[in-house]
Amino acid sequence: MTTETGGGPLSGLRVLELAAIGPAPFACMMLADLGAEVVRVDRPDGTRSFGSWHRVLDRGRRSVALDLKDPSAVEALLRLVERSDVLVEGFRPGVAERLGVGPEECRARNPRLVYARMTGWGQTGPLASAPGHDINYIALTGALHAVGRAGGPPVPPLNLLGDFAGGGLPLAVGVLAALYERQRSGLGQVVDAAIVDGTASLLGMLAAMAGAGQWRPERGGNLLDTGAPFYDVYACAGGGHMAVGALEERFYLAFLAGLGLDQQDLPDRGDPGNWPVLRREFARRFATRTREEWTEVFDGTEACVTPVLSLAEAAGHPHNRERGTYRADGGLLQAAPAPRFGRTEARPPGPAPCCGEHTREVLAETGLSEDEIARLLPSWATRPGL
C-alpha cells in the first residue's frame, strides 16, 4: 500500500491543551504524533515546574503563554477555542470554571468543541477534589494490590499503569470517540477521563477471572503474577535476567528443550502444587549461563523467552532498531509515534517548544492586533524570536 505524505491521519484537527503534567500531555503527544495541530497554553512565567525530561511529552506542539488570571488572556483563550476542535485540561475539578474557561464558557463560543478533562479521581465522587498520584489511584482500584511477589508487599509498576495506561490512553480514545459522534450530531461534548476509571477498565480480564474462581487475591500465586514458574523472570550467571512467557504447551516444550530438560522428568505443571519444584529447577538452569548465552540459545525458537533489556539496550536491539521503535531527538531517548498507518503515516514529531515560543503567531491567527498581543505578552517574551 502506498503511503501518503502529509501530516498523518489526524491532519487538520486542532487541539488546544491547557498545560498540565503526566497523562494529559501524553494524550496530546499522541494526538500530535498522529498529525493533529496542538497548541499548548503555558503559564506566563517562562519556566516549567518540572525537568527537561518532560519535554518528550511536549513534542510536536506550538506554545502560547497566557496568564489566565487576566481577563484579557481569558478572552484570548476563548478566541482560540472558537477555532479549535478539542480542548484538553488537567486541572482539579472546578479550577477551569473559576478561571472562566470551563465547559459552559468554551462551548458557548464553540458548540462543536470536544472538552476533554483529565483527573485522577474524576469530576464527581467523594475524592474528586483530593490530591493524588498514580500510586494512589491504582491503589484504590485494586490494581496495585495484585502486583508483587508472593509473601512480599505490592510493587508500584512505575507510573505506567495509572498515569499513562489508565489515564492518557482513555483520554485520547475518549477524544476520538467524541469527534466521531460529532460527525452525526454536529455537537461537541465533555469527556470526563479519570485514572481510576481507566485503570479499573484495564482490570476487566482479571476481575472476570477472579469471579470465575481462576484468580486468587494472594499475590504471586496466579498464572500471570509470577506465581507460575513458566511465566516469570530468572537471574543469569554474571547478572542480567531472562523473561519467560511459555504459557501454551508447544511454547513450554520449546522452553524446556532450550533448558535441556525433558518434560517426562518433571512434575505436571498443571498442578500449582508442583510450581515451587519447577521454579527451583528453572532457576538452577538459568544460573549456569549468562544472559547473552541464553539469548543465543532461545533466539529463533518458539519458547517465548527473551532477555530483559535496559532502555538503552532496548533502543539498540536489532528488532527495535529496524522498526525505528526508539528515537534519540535532542539528546533524549524517546519512542517513535505509535501506532503506524499504511496510507497516512505522520511525519516525525517536531521538538518540544520553548514556553510561549509561538505566542505572537498563534494569537495573530485569531485576529488579535499587534497592540492587543503586546499587552498579553509577559516581559520575558519580548525578546527577539518569541
Side-chain angles (χ1 to χ4, degrees), residues 289-304:
R289 298 187 184 185
T290 65
R291 188 190 68 175
E292 290 68 27
E293 289 173 326
W294 284 120
T295 298
E296 185 175 351
V297 166
F298 287 107
D299 186 36
T301 73
E302 287 196 333
C304 299

Side-chain angles (χ1 to χ4, degrees), residues 256-257 260-266:
L256 295 181
L261 296 171
D262 190 324
Q263 188 177 32
Q264 302 301 319
D265 300 327
L266 298 171

